[in-house]
Amino acid sequence: ALPLAWDYSLNKDTGGGWVSSPWTFRREHMFLLPGDSPMGYRLPLDSLIWEPKGKQHNVHALDPHAPRTALPANRDRWRLAVRPPVTSDSPEQFERPPAADQRPSSTDKAYELIRTALCIEPRGGHLNVFLPPMRELEHYLDLISALEAASVACNLPIVIEGYEPPKDHRLKHFSVTPDPGVIEVNIHPATGWRELVDNTQTLYQEARLSRLGTEKFMLDGRHTGTGGGNHVTIGGLTPSDSPVLRRPDLLKSLITYWQQHPSLSYLFSGMFIGPTSQAPRVDEARDDALYELAIAFSEIPDRETTSPWLVDRILRHLLVDVTGNTHRAEFCIDKLYSPDSATGRLGLVEFRGFEMPPHARMSMVQQLLLRSLIVRFWETPFEGKPVRWGTELHDRFMLPHFVESDIRDVVGDLNRSGIRFDAAWFDPFVEFRFPRYGTFNIDDIEVELRFAIEPWDVLGEEVGSFGTARYVDSSVERLQIKVTGMLSERHAVLCNGRRLPLRSTGTRGEFVAGLRYKAWQPPSALHPTIPAQAPLTFDIVDTWNQRSIGGCTYHVEHPGGRNPDDFPVNANAAESRRLARFQQLGHTPGNIEIPDEELNPDFPYTLDLRTPPSHFGKVVR
């Protein structure tokens, strides 16, 4: 371990140089803390000689707004100066701080102690070099250059580990980090559309060559994303160039537009949505959020401002989840202009509502949509007002029909603004996000069943085998039933004997409704006493003759009980599992007593089978 740090006062001509100082321990030798981490993480820094807090050596990150110059060429020598050793007259100084009158003055250079070290450790058949934290990128590159020169001179390869280089826009880098179930890859920012396309295509291609995928199949054959995010970050080359810091009204326009169009939140997200998800909407689970947001918006200036901290101060406590976590929000401004650290003042806004799509072109469509909206609101700020959706947010926009209709409104808005966008570009997202389970026809009537979104509730704390845990209730599922060619005065659609609240889509003879049901009964759920409500039997009923003219049956598992234990190997195997759960038979024979339509005032578009038929008022038709 070589104590090492940069001293700016050492050489004024070169801007400083490397310095070191001896480390003295009471037991003469340095004993690492127990563990299997790299050596640099196990240094016994608390066992070093005591120092006043004001004199301790600390590495502070450089202000991201500080001016930067062009990076110098590689240096051919390693500037190292050794400070005088730190002495101690009594071993007691290592046990407790000295008395106030015995402490060295703050100007005593001999008392300064370097607390960062370059660690060289043979481990696993390789020579590992642990880099200490550094303040400036020039220092990092200078040390790397010296290590490379030493490696070549000794003909000995080395493995670099330790602290990452300081944050600097002059350095392009990407990181690969293991995450639960996925591998997270953060790629370097792009300055133009062509570079962004090349980066995205290269990432997907390299992932495929590494036998990694951007999609997966569940046991029941459902085609989903990996669960990892496709988070998009916007900003500038430097924090001063960030469009969000220069124009606070741009973020205001984006938040308002996203709130008015729920399809932007639900079409590109993963399976886990809702107030306790990784990217909740600003109006989910907080009834007064829009009221407070309107007050905050009134304090944001309309055009450019010279106060970059303004956006963070106004919106930091509103762009959070229900627990106050600023990172788990649809619009994450953790790194916009946080006063906590220099790494929080980068002028960046992260859009966390995007899940990794299965194809590179789908990812580019997401990024193109975001870039188009930024261009639109930069030229003309959005002056709309937030919509108080209430329960209508989850009643309507969990269904694919209303999500698709809303995204087409967004496309029309962009086209009217002079930005050419094609609504067909979002068709793959609709088919991927809301797969079709089956379709059956009776005479001129067609009934289609599609997957719909269902928010997962986080339950209360329970004692598990490994301690306290909070389960996620995924036992409730939702379907969309779309009927075409039906005469509303004559026909009705029943599910397990209950009438669906069909609503007209605006097209003659076309109706849509949502259906919530309990698909399975886990040991811990929101309503543990309600049993599973599968299979689902659908009937098209002729109300004039009071009989079912046809129907179908949907199973949440294989109807013959042949539930697989392994995941599908490809899309064909997954599709076969989905098709096996849909049968074009099973309608109710004989005369049927037509039930009344149940009117749920909170969720008029959805029938919830978990509620008893007499729970709400009824409307006779």
Side-chain angles (χ1 to χ4, degrees):
L2 174 64
L4 192 66
W6 186 271
D7 188 355
Y8 290 90
S9 62
L10 185 64
N11 191 333
K12 298 297 180 60
D13 296 334
T14 60
W18 295 107
V19 294
S20 183
S21 65
W23 281 1
T24 306
F25 298 90
R26 184 174 56 183
R27 292 190 290 177
E28 296 184 0
H29 300 285
M30 180 178 69
F31 294 91
L32 300 178
L33 301 177
D36 56 359
S37 300
M39 176 181 174
Y41 291 129
R42 298 189 289 126
L43 296 175
L45 299 180
D46 292 339
S47 299
L48 294 174
I49 190 172
W50 179 89
E51 287 181 298
K53 289 186 178 180
K55 289 297 294 178
Q56 287 186 358
H57 168 245
N58 294 307
V59 179
H60 300 285
L62 189 65
D63 189 348
H65 288 268
R68 304 292 206 278
T69 58
L71 290 175
N74 291 340
R75 295 163 180 164
D76 56 358
R77 61 189 182 91
W78 190 15
R79 293 179 298 276
L80 176 63
V82 180
R83 287 177 176 166
V86 178
T87 60
S88 172
D89 297 334
S90 172
E92 293 183 355
Q93 276 193 319
F94 295 94
E95 299 179 0
R96 61 178 181 269
D101 56 349
Q102 296 178 355
R103 296 175 186 173
S105 64
S106 59
T107 59
D108 189 356
K109 295 289 289 183
Y111 197 73
E112 294 182 358
L113 181 67
I114 302 300
R115 291 183 176 270
T116 57
L118 178 75
C119 300
I120 303 175
E121 175 190 13
R123 188 178 71 251
H126 303 282
L127 186 62
N128 297 269
V129 180
F130 187 96
L131 299 184
M134 280 166 269
R135 173 181 171 87
E136 297 187 28
L137 179 60
E138 287 84 354
H139 308 161
Y140 183 90
L141 297 179
D142 185 66
L143 185 54
I144 288 292
S145 178
L147 292 173
E148 289 179 344
S151 176
V152 172
C154 299
N155 193 24
L156 182 64
I158 59 176
V159 177
I160 300 296
E161 61 184 8
Y163 288 86
E164 62 180 11
K167 299 291 184 181
D168 197 297
H169 70 274
R170 296 170 295 177
L171 182 67
K172 288 187 177 182
H173 71 282
F174 70 94
S175 61
V176 180
T177 309
D179 224 19
V182 297
I183 294 179
E184 177 182 319
V185 181
N186 292 299
I187 62 175
H188 56 277
T191 57
W193 173 248
R194 177 49 54 189
E195 183 181 1
L196 187 61
V197 171
D198 293 339
N199 291 347
T200 304
Q201 291 179 338
T202 301
L203 175 63
Y204 274 77
Q205 178 68 7
E206 293 299 326
R208 186 186 64 83
L209 296 176
S210 302
R211 300 182 64 84
L212 297 174
T214 55
E215 57 187 335
K216 68 179 181 181
F217 303 100
M218 303 182 70
L219 286 174
D220 60 357
R222 187 182 306 170
H223 192 185
T224 66
T226 59
N230 190 39
H231 306 157
V232 183
T233 303
I234 64 171
L237 191 61
T238 64
S240 302
D241 295 330
S242 173
V244 186
L245 291 183
R246 292 170 53 193
R247 289 274 302 275
D249 62 289
L250 176 61
L251 183 58
K252 170 186 173 182
S253 299
L254 289 170
I255 295 174
T256 306
Y257 198 79
W258 241 260
Q259 198 276 333
Q260 283 195 1
H261 294 279
S263 62
L264 299 175
S265 300
Y266 298 138
L267 182 59
F268 312 109
S269 63
M271 293 185 61
F272 187 19
I273 63 170
T276 56
S277 66
Q278 293 285 337
R281 283 170 53 90
V282 68
D283 55 353
E284 282 185 314
R286 299 182 66 186
D287 296 334
D288 61 338
L290 295 182
Y291 174 79
E292 301 293 344
L293 198 64
I295 300 177
F297 282 169
S298 64
E299 299 297 320
I300 294 180
D302 295 335
R303 288 291 177 177
E304 294 199 24
T305 178
T306 57
S307 304
W309 57 86
L310 196 61
V311 182
D312 180 87
R313 294 294 85 196
I314 293 177
L315 298 177
R316 165 163 289 271
H317 305 295
L318 294 174
L319 301 180
V320 294
D321 68 351
V322 292
T323 65
N325 191 329
T326 58
H327 187 67
R328 293 163 60 99
E330 192 174 29
F331 291 83
C332 177
I333 60 172
D334 269 352
K335 298 178 181 179
L336 184 59
Y337 205 89
S338 173
D340 299 333
S341 63
T343 56
R345 297 190 297 272
L346 302 179
L348 303 179
V349 174
E350 182 182 6
F351 293 77
R352 295 178 51 83
F354 296 96
E355 189 191 40
M356 197 71 181
H359 198 277
R361 292 189 178 182
M362 296 176 68
S363 177
M364 287 185 287
V365 169
Q366 292 178 351
Q367 299 173 64
L368 181 61
L369 173 64
L370 183 57
R371 288 168 63 91
S372 301
L373 291 174
I374 292 175
V375 170
R376 181 195 183 282
F377 299 141
W378 183 270
E379 297 294 337
T380 306
F382 186 65
E383 300 296 339
K385 301 297 182 182
V387 178
R388 300 184 181 275
W389 294 107
T391 57
E392 188 178 1
L393 180 66
H394 287 177
D395 185 34
R396 290 179 54 192
F397 294 101
M398 299 292 98
L399 305 180
H401 170 79
F402 296 102
V403 171
E404 185 177 8
S405 177
D406 186 59
I407 198 65
R408 292 185 181 276
D409 288 343
V410 174
V411 172
D413 188 23
L414 290 174
N415 289 328
R416 288 189 295 270
S417 302
I419 302 175
R420 192 184 69 84
F421 226 91
D422 192 347
W425 295 347
F426 296 105
D427 291 344
F429 289 95
V430 175
E431 295 299 326
F432 175 70
R433 190 78 171 94
F434 307 99
R436 182 172 61 88
Y437 285 150
T439 303
F440 71 96
N441 295 78
I442 303 296
D443 296 334
D444 294 333
I445 303 176
E446 180 182 90
V447 179
E448 178 192 67
L449 271 63
R450 277 190 182 271
F451 171 81
I453 313 173
E454 178 63 35
W456 292 353
D457 295 316
V458 176
L459 306 178
E461 293 183 349
E462 299 182 33
V463 178
S465 57
F466 297 99
T468 304
R470 292 195 299 168
Y471 294 94
V472 175
D473 185 12
S474 59
S475 62
V476 181
E477 294 184 2
R478 189 181 307 230
L479 291 177
Q480 173 188 275
I481 296 89
K482 177 176 283 189
V483 186
T484 306
M486 187 185 78
L487 184 62
S488 60
E489 293 81 3
R490 180 173 182 176
H491 300 107
V493 179
L494 308 184
C495 177
N496 289 1
R498 298 178 64 175
R499 189 168 181 172
L500 293 175
L502 295 173
R503 295 290 180 267
S504 175
T505 63
T507 302
R508 182 173 178 83
E510 186 178 73
F511 302 87
V512 67
L515 175 69
R516 297 181 73 190
Y517 62 97
K518 194 165 185 177
W520 58 296
Q521 193 173 15
S524 182
L526 190 61
H527 302 290
T529 58
I530 299 178
Q533 297 167 322
L536 303 177
T537 302
F538 295 90
D539 289 285
I540 300 179
V541 179
D542 184 349
T543 59
W544 293 355
N545 299 315
Q546 293 187 339
R547 66 183 184 90
S548 174
I549 61 176
C552 68
T553 304
Y554 172 74
H555 302 264
V556 297
E557 57 186 8
H558 193 280
R562 301 173 58 187
N563 297 317
D565 296 327
D566 56 341
F567 292 94
V569 295
N570 53 33
N572 293 332
E575 185 179 10
S576 65
R577 294 187 185 183
R578 295 196 302 267
L579 295 178
R581 306 202 316 268
F582 179 81
Q583 299 175 337
Q584 296 189 26
L585 51 88
H587 71 281
T588 305
N591 292 336
I592 295 179
E593 181 180 354
I594 308 300
D596 298 332
E597 182 178 355
E598 304 170 24
L599 179 61
N600 187 334
D602 295 323
F603 300 96
Y605 289 83
T606 306
L607 171 64
D608 194 341
L609 292 181
R610 301 175 302 164
T611 60
S614 60
H615 188 71
F616 300 103
K618 300 178 180 179
V619 176
V620 180
R621 290 195 175 182

